[in-house]
Amino acid sequence: LGLLAEGLGARDYIFGEAFSMADILLGHTLLWARKRGFRLGHRTLAAYSRRLIARPAFRRTMERETSGQKSAAG
């Protein structure tokens, strides 16, 4: 977690200003960890997680998941 927090630094996303597939993978992993009770322990990671969760596409996906619909890829 420390390495990831250091790598993010002050950037919005792992590769800078642009959201990428890497952010989806990292975000999923962080969300899983938080739901299982792991403490992220870094303000940088907590802020990163909040940014990812706030994305409209994430919210739409979560709405579909909770309503039992499958995504277009599923």
Side-chain angles (χ1 to χ4, degrees):
L1 291 175
L3 183 60
L4 177 56
E6 185 180 323
L8 272 169
R11 295 181 289 195
D12 284 341
Y13 302 108
I14 195 65
F15 291 125
E17 297 301 314
F19 180 75
S20 70
M21 184 64 184
D23 295 298
I24 293 171
L25 294 171
L26 290 171
H28 176 77
T29 301
L30 293 173
L31 183 62
W32 174 85
R34 289 177 61 197
K35 285 188 176 197
R36 300 308 183 278
F38 290 94
R39 296 183 63 122
L40 299 182
H42 296 273
R43 282 188 231 168
T44 302
L45 295 181
Y48 175 65
S49 245
R50 284 191 302 272
R51 271 192 304 282
L52 298 179
I53 290 169
R55 292 179 56 81
F58 178 86
R59 292 182 184 271
R60 285 191 304 271
T61 299
M62 292 309 294
E63 287 171 8
R64 273 186 245 144
E65 291 285 326
T66 57
S67 71
Q69 298 176 4
K70 290 188 174 187
S71 69

